[in-house]
Amino acid sequence: MPSTQPSPSGPDPRRSRFAEKLLPGGTEPDPRFTLANERTFLAWIRTSLALLAGGIAVEAFTTDIFPEPVRRGLAVLLLLLGMLLSAGSAIRWLRVEASLRSKRPLPLPLIGPLLAAGCAVAAGVVIAVVVLA
């Protein structure tokens, strides 16, 4: 299966103007790589939705478990993580797709360490509350 087409001298007439504006230049990558990039994006979005749901659940259902400032802080942390992960996953999808189109090395995944640090802080807060209770 050929992975790419020859580089056109101008914009590809088969691409939409929106696609050309978001991802200018380069050649069409192998569809398997593009679809894998989309699956990864959707996995990050699922994780983002889980963090948002967790933040809402902490705020709504843990009034008798956590003191007010801890509950608010934990809920805000989870909601902020979900928001940052959602935006970061879109940026990551665009950067990976641009790298695939221009045959450059893939960008460093920065949202993974961000998510790990945020979840470690949230887990640390929960552990501290459980130990101190």
Side-chain angles (χ1 to χ4, degrees), residues 11-42:
D12 188 344
R14 296 171 295 184
R15 296 183 73 204
S16 69
R17 286 182 13 190
F18 184 68
E20 189 62 39
K21 190 162 187 89
L22 274 181
L23 298 165
T27 58
E28 287 296 320
D30 187 330
R32 293 175 294 179
F33 298 142
T34 296
L35 294 173
N37 189 25
E38 287 180 13
R39 284 192 298 274
T40 304
F41 168 72
L42 292 174

Side-chain angles (χ1 to χ4, degrees), residues 12 15 18 26 28 35 60 81 97 103 106 125 132:
D12 188 344
R15 296 183 73 204
F18 184 68
E28 287 296 320
L35 294 173
L81 272 176
E97 196 67 21
K103 301 188 183 335
L106 296 180
V125 168
L132 296 175

Side-chain angles (χ1 to χ4, degrees), residues 2-82:
S3 63
T4 60
Q5 299 173 349
S7 177
S9 59
D12 188 344
R14 296 171 295 184
R15 296 183 73 204
S16 69
R17 286 182 13 190
F18 184 68
E20 189 62 39
K21 190 162 187 89
L22 274 181
L23 298 165
T27 58
E28 287 296 320
D30 187 330
R32 293 175 294 179
F33 298 142
T34 296
L35 294 173
N37 189 25
E38 287 180 13
R39 284 192 298 274
T40 304
F41 168 72
L42 292 174
W44 285 119
I45 291 296
R46 275 193 309 268
T47 305
S48 171
L49 289 173
L51 288 168
L52 293 173
I56 292 169
V58 164
E59 178 61 24
F61 302 118
T62 62
T63 54
D64 51 345
I65 298 173
F66 298 121
E68 172 75 18
V70 172
R71 181 172 50 85
R72 287 277 163 111
L74 194 57
V76 167
L77 175 66
L78 291 172
L79 293 171
L80 282 175
L81 272 176

